[in-house]
Amino acid sequence: QRVLGSFGPLREAALGDVLWLPPGRGKRLLDVGCGSGEFLLAAAASGWVVRGVEPDPVAAEVARARGLEVRTGMLEEYEYQSGEFDVI
Protein backbone atom coordinates (compact mmCIF):
# COMPACT_ATOMS: atom_id res chain seq x y z
CA GLN A 1 0.00 0.00 0.00
CA ARG A 2 2.87 2.37 0.66
CA VAL A 3 4.06 2.06 -2.93
CA LEU A 4 0.67 2.12 -4.68
CA GLY A 5 -0.90 4.30 -2.02
CA SER A 6 0.76 7.37 -3.46
CA PHE A 7 -0.45 6.54 -6.98
CA GLY A 8 -4.25 6.56 -6.72
CA PRO A 9 -5.03 5.50 -10.30
CA LEU A 10 -2.53 2.62 -10.15
CA ARG A 11 -3.98 1.41 -6.88
CA GLU A 12 -7.52 1.58 -8.25
CA ALA A 13 -6.47 -0.29 -11.39
CA ALA A 14 -4.83 -3.04 -9.35
CA LEU A 15 -7.89 -3.52 -7.19
CA GLY A 16 -10.30 -3.20 -10.11
CA ASP A 17 -8.65 -6.07 -11.99
CA VAL A 18 -9.38 -8.54 -9.22
CA LEU A 19 -13.09 -7.86 -9.58
CA TRP A 20 -13.00 -9.71 -12.91
CA LEU A 21 -11.52 -12.86 -11.40
CA PRO A 22 -13.96 -15.49 -10.17
CA PRO A 23 -13.48 -16.62 -6.57
CA GLY A 24 -10.32 -18.72 -6.40
CA ARG A 25 -11.48 -21.46 -4.08
CA GLY A 26 -7.90 -22.62 -3.60
CA LYS A 27 -6.76 -22.17 -7.20
CA ARG A 28 -3.22 -20.86 -7.73
CA LEU A 29 -2.39 -17.44 -9.17
CA LEU A 30 1.00 -16.00 -10.16
CA ASP A 31 1.24 -12.22 -10.56
CA VAL A 32 4.23 -11.22 -12.71
CA GLY A 33 5.29 -7.67 -11.87
CA CYS A 34 3.28 -7.75 -8.66
CA GLY A 35 4.65 -4.51 -7.22
CA SER A 36 3.90 -4.15 -3.53
CA GLY A 37 1.26 -6.89 -3.66
CA GLU A 38 -1.98 -4.93 -3.73
CA PHE A 39 -3.53 -7.19 -6.39
CA LEU A 40 -2.22 -10.32 -4.66
CA LEU A 41 -3.84 -9.30 -1.37
CA ALA A 42 -7.18 -8.70 -3.08
CA ALA A 43 -6.96 -12.02 -4.96
CA ALA A 44 -6.05 -13.87 -1.76
CA ALA A 45 -9.06 -12.33 -0.04
CA SER A 46 -11.13 -13.81 -2.86
CA GLY A 47 -9.83 -17.32 -2.19
CA TRP A 48 -6.81 -17.53 -4.49
CA VAL A 49 -3.50 -19.05 -3.38
CA VAL A 50 -1.15 -16.31 -4.56
CA ARG A 51 2.52 -15.87 -5.42
CA GLY A 52 4.35 -13.05 -7.15
CA VAL A 53 7.48 -12.10 -9.04
CA GLU A 54 8.69 -8.50 -8.91
CA PRO A 55 11.89 -7.03 -10.43
CA ASP A 56 11.99 -4.02 -8.08
CA PRO A 57 13.59 -5.18 -4.81
CA VAL A 58 11.98 -2.39 -2.77
CA ALA A 59 8.46 -3.22 -3.98
CA ALA A 60 9.11 -6.95 -3.54
CA GLU A 61 10.22 -6.37 0.05
CA VAL A 62 7.06 -4.34 0.75
CA ALA A 63 4.99 -7.25 -0.58
CA ARG A 64 6.89 -9.77 1.56
CA ALA A 65 6.45 -7.53 4.61
CA ARG A 66 2.71 -7.84 3.96
CA GLY A 67 3.03 -11.62 4.31
CA LEU A 68 3.06 -12.45 0.60
CA GLU A 69 5.29 -14.97 -1.14
CA VAL A 70 7.10 -12.80 -3.68
CA ARG A 71 10.35 -13.51 -5.49
CA THR A 72 12.63 -10.67 -6.53
CA GLY A 73 13.78 -10.70 -10.15
CA MET A 74 12.48 -11.51 -13.59
CA LEU A 75 10.13 -14.36 -14.44
CA GLU A 76 12.79 -15.96 -16.66
CA GLU A 77 15.06 -16.39 -13.63
CA TYR A 78 12.74 -18.92 -12.02
CA GLU A 79 11.61 -22.33 -13.12
CA TYR A 80 7.95 -23.10 -12.61
CA GLN A 81 6.35 -26.41 -13.48
CA SER A 82 3.79 -26.64 -16.26
CA GLY A 83 0.35 -26.46 -14.68
CA GLU A 84 1.69 -25.07 -11.39
CA PHE A 85 -0.67 -22.10 -11.66
CA ASP A 86 -4.27 -21.81 -12.75
CA VAL A 87 -3.90 -18.12 -13.67
CA ILE A 88 -0.81 -16.09 -14.53
Side-chain angles (χ1 to χ4, degrees):
Q1 181 156 355
R2 292 185 316 186
V3 174
L4 282 178
S6 60
F7 299 100
L10 289 177
R11 184 174 191 278
E12 290 174 20
L15 292 177
D17 287 346
V18 78
L19 297 175
W20 299 105
L21 280 176
R25 295 186 180 94
K27 291 185 179 178
R28 298 157 305 197
L29 178 144
L30 175 65
D31 186 3
V32 179
C34 67
S36 63
E38 199 74 31
F39 177 79
L40 289 174
L41 288 171
S46 184
W48 290 89
V49 176
V50 299
R51 290 171 59 190
V53 176
E54 172 55 45
D56 177 8
V58 174
E61 184 55 39
V62 171
R64 284 191 293 273
R66 299 171 102 183
L68 297 166
E69 185 179 339
V70 172
R71 292 178 169 181
T72 302
M74 302 298 286
L75 179 62
E76 297 83 6
E77 297 173 34
Y78 300 101
E79 291 187 25
Y80 293 105
Q81 300 297 314
S82 178
E84 188 172 346
F85 298 99
D86 299 292
V87 173
I88 297 176

